[in-house]
Amino acid sequence: QVTLVESGGGLVQAGGSLRLSCLLSGHTFSRLSMGWFRQAPGKEREIVAAMNWVNGFTHYDDSVKDRFTIFRDNVKTTLYLLMNRLKPEDTAVYFCAATKSNSNSDVIFGEYEYWGQGTQVTVSS
């Protein structure tokens, strides 16, 4: 059984930083493409960043480019999201997700098979 457990969320002031972690178990971590998503109150879930396991292709939503960095540690089977210069509009529940697909298009637009429970990020102004 594949499980994803996020951690690292919390309350931070605007301009601050947080690092989210997502620990995966139950599958060969290095053979999964993974991504971070977020959902703010009253809004649809949106992709924040994603990484293709085959070619290292990474995707970022325009709203987080140059502020957020997605990276992974295959030994620790952990996905990370480093978030710098946080803004109040970054406030949301952040989810990590995994897919067996190695298509760049799927990584950005496709369905992810496995999801974590989410971690709350709140940025105060």
Side-chain angles (χ1 to χ4, degrees):
Q1 179 179 354
V2 177
T3 60
L4 299 168
V5 179
E6 302 98 335
S7 60
L11 174 64
V12 64
Q13 288 188 332
S17 299
L18 282 175
R19 188 182 76 171
L20 304 183
S21 300
C22 174
L23 176 64
L24 179 140
S25 60
H27 195 284
T28 303
F29 180 80
S30 60
R31 298 182 68 86
L32 291 171
S33 296
M34 299 190 72
W36 287 98
F37 294 75
R38 67 186 179 187
Q39 187 166 19
K43 295 187 177 181
E44 293 188 354
R45 187 173 62 196
E46 62 180 4
I47 190 168
V48 176
M51 176 180 286
N52 186 321
W53 75 269
V54 172
N55 56 23
F57 165 80
T58 56
H59 166 77
Y60 294 93
D61 184 76
D62 286 344
S63 65
V64 306
K65 279 182 180 176
D66 300 323
R67 297 190 299 123
F68 290 10
T69 304
I70 185 173
F71 59 103
R72 60 195 292 164
D73 185 328
N74 287 346
V75 174
K76 295 182 178 180
T77 68
T78 300
L79 179 74
Y80 300 95
L81 184 69
L82 177 60
M83 306 185 294
N84 293 322
R85 303 196 307 278
L86 282 160
K87 304 175 181 180
E89 51 263 45
D90 294 318
T91 295
V93 177
Y94 284 70
F95 302 88
C96 72
T99 175
K100 297 175 185 176
S101 176
N102 58 20
S103 157
N104 287 349
S105 178
D106 282 350
V107 166
I108 299 172
F109 302 111
E111 296 288 330
Y112 280 63
E113 296 97 299
Y114 310 109
W115 290 86
Q117 293 299 309
T119 184
Q120 176 70 45
V121 171
T122 303
V123 184
S124 63
S125 58

